[in-house]
Amino acid sequence: ACLKRPAAWVCGLCVPLGFLLGNPYALFDWPTFWSDFLYNYKVTPVYTGVTEGTGYAAFFKDFVEIFGWPGTWLIVAGGLAALPFIIRRRENLAWHVWVLSAIVFAAYAWKIGSFPRMETRFVLPSAPYALLMGAAGFGVLLRARFVVLPVFAAILIYNLASGWVFGDVFRHDPRMEALDLAARELDRQSVVEASPSMPRIKDLPNRPDKLIRIPNGLGISQGLIERFADDEQMGEAMEKWGAGAGVEWFTPEARAARGTEWIFWSSIDLETLVQPSYDALFRPESGFEVVFDRTSPDFPSWGYPHNTLFLRNRVTVWKKRGAP
């Protein structure tokens, strides 16, 4: 009966259409798209070097990062409360919504949860389906509105407070202050090195003509090279993405050969392999002086998300002594 409805066909056709609109080079440059897709498909689950086990526990735990503990428990309660009522009335819309959401959610969780590596962003696409399953039971919970409404209000206030504090961390990210410094101090003749997590200095009006990206993922790259040593297609893809830079890139001699005058480095991109080179820049004999050094503000323990590693960073800017 569902396939007889025009809306079902429209929705079905929107899936490939949306895919092509979001990835037009899948149509115009299929070989490149397929190569990039296979690279990400093989590398993503093992990128950090963890190659054994599964991430199912971490998958479900990450919903706390998305909704917070109160919101997560509310969604679980809503989903469970809905079951007895919608099962008895299988012809109603709530049942269809719940079942379809559960199928998509289960399929996604089964596949993504099998990854040894788990990140909150991997879990995020499944969050709307979890919310749909929980929302099916919110009406049931509201039958005890004198109990549930204060709970809803408390969760809303908690989420708003967490969002405000989290947004404040964004507003005071030291990388943005470093970008302001770059706008004031750099000119087109400056030779600048910047780590990947720094904002796009090249988009500044007075952007330097020579902007060098500091390599990252050295240890990870070496692990991937060893893991996919016999995979010719992966070897070509890793060469394309620049995997293989070594610690020799960070030596004073290499930096002198590049003529570097400014260094913008976020600690997010700092790796154990290059920690000695990073520490050496703070010494007078390095030939560089620190002109900017800031750390992200602390995030309160009561708020969420807790996994804010990409926001908690120290940004340091060095200028070569005698540079204009």
Side-chain angles (χ1 to χ4, degrees):
C2 179
L3 294 178
K4 295 180 181 179
R5 298 179 180 179
W9 288 96
V10 171
C11 291
L13 290 173
C14 282
V15 175
L17 180 62
F19 175 80
L20 291 175
L21 289 174
N23 301 274
Y25 83 123
L27 185 63
F28 299 112
D29 190 0
W30 173 257
T32 300
F33 167 79
W34 186 242
S35 173
D36 292 351
F37 174 80
L38 286 180
Y39 173 81
N40 283 283
Y41 181 78
K42 293 179 180 180
V43 165
T44 296
V46 296
Y47 183 72
T48 56
V50 179
T51 59
E52 297 181 356
T54 60
Y56 290 110
F59 180 93
F60 290 101
K61 186 178 178 181
D62 274 341
F63 281 99
V64 178
E65 292 291 294
I66 299 170
F67 296 114
W69 273 114
T72 300
W73 282 116
L74 179 64
I75 291 170
V76 172
L80 294 176
L83 275 176
F85 293 91
I86 61 179
I87 287 176
R88 283 184 292 180
R89 302 176 183 178
R90 297 187 182 182
E91 299 304 319
N92 63 13
L93 182 60
W95 166 255
H96 295 152
V97 170
W98 198 96
V99 170
L100 289 173
S101 299
I103 291 172
V104 175
F105 179 85
Y108 188 89
W110 170 74
K111 178 59 181 176
I112 302 300
S114 66
F115 291 1
R117 169 196 177 210
M118 189 55 56
E119 304 285 351
T120 304
R121 63 181 180 274
F122 299 170
V123 182
L124 193 59
S126 66
Y129 300 99
L131 190 57
L132 281 172
M133 288 190 289
F138 288 169
V140 178
L141 295 176
L142 284 172
R143 293 181 180 183
R145 63 183 60 202
F146 293 108
V147 176
V148 175
L149 282 178
V151 173
F152 272 55
I155 292 175
L156 178 61
I157 292 171
Y158 170 73
N159 288 350
L160 290 173
S162 292
W164 174 266
V165 175
F166 193 70
D168 195 58
V169 174
F170 268 105
R171 287 192 296 273
H172 294 92
D173 193 310
R175 285 172 289 185
M176 300 309 298
E177 295 181 57
L179 190 64
D180 292 338
L181 181 144
R184 292 194 308 270
E185 301 292 339
L186 301 183
D187 56 37
R188 291 195 175 275
Q189 284 69 47
S190 302
V191 181
V192 181
E193 292 180 10
S195 66
S197 293
M198 291 298 303
R200 294 165 65 90
I201 296 175
K202 68 178 182 180
D203 290 337
L204 295 174
N206 58 333
R207 60 188 179 275
D209 289 333
K210 191 170 183 181
L211 179 61
I212 305 166
R213 181 182 184 274
I214 297 177
N216 70 324
L218 273 67
I220 292 173
S221 297
Q222 187 58 41
L224 293 176
I225 290 171
E226 294 172 0
R227 179 176 177 79
F228 298 107
D230 299 327
D231 192 323
E232 182 178 348
Q233 190 175 34
M234 283 296 294
E236 294 175 357
M238 285 189 286
E239 184 177 350
K240 169 187 173 181
W241 292 108
V247 293
E248 66 277 358
W249 195 94
F250 296 87
T251 62
E253 294 77 16
R255 188 170 288 117
R258 293 191 294 271
T260 303
E261 298 173 337
W262 293 82
I263 302 173
F264 289 71
W265 207 336
S266 169
S267 62
I268 293 173
D269 305 310
L270 186 59
E271 299 177 73
T272 304
L273 285 173
V274 299
Q275 183 76 49
S277 300
Y278 174 85
D279 293 338
L281 287 169
F282 288 96
R283 301 199 217 28
E285 57 267 26
S286 69
F288 287 82
E289 60 180 335
V290 176
V291 295
F292 179 91
D293 194 13
R294 299 281 192 283
T295 304
S296 300
D298 292 331
F299 189 75
S301 58
W302 55 263
Y304 81 97
H306 298 287
N307 183 17
T308 56
L309 296 180
F310 286 101
L311 276 181
R312 297 176 181 176
N313 70 117
R314 175 187 181 185
V315 175
T316 310
V317 179
W318 290 269
K319 179 182 178 181
K320 186 176 182 180
R321 289 191 180 89

